[in-house]
Amino acid sequence: EGLVAHAASRGFAVTAEAYRRGEISHSQLRLLMRIVTPETEARWVERARRLTVRLLEEGQQFGKVILEP
């Protein structure tokens, strides 16, 4: 819960709620908290709902654009 509270306190309510609902894993939450900004939060959470942690990491590390479905 500490990471969820941290997300919420930083204004990332979409991320915190997705975790609470079981839509993203703890590992995804941890990764997202390193990379999201207020402007990109909704897009990253949507990606996290569809992709594995590994694919999210690769997309973030290499600056790849992950296409919408």
Side-chain angles (χ1 to χ4, degrees), residues 7-61:
S9 73
R10 288 185 53 204
F12 298 121
V14 173
T15 304
E17 188 60 27
Y19 178 76
R20 285 189 190 109
R21 290 183 179 184
E23 297 170 351
I24 61 173
S25 71
H26 188 265
S27 295
Q28 290 169 314
L29 174 63
R30 226 179 23 242
L31 173 64
L32 290 178
M33 291 313 303
R34 293 194 317 250
I35 61 175
V36 297
T37 66
E39 295 80 21
T40 64
E41 178 189 21
R43 287 189 307 248
W44 276 111
V45 169
E46 186 56 37
R47 290 170 182 156
R49 287 179 177 127
R50 298 188 325 263
L51 300 174
T52 65
V53 173
R54 183 175 180 180
L55 289 173
L56 284 172
E57 286 174 337
E58 288 176 2
Q60 181 264 330
Q61 288 174 352

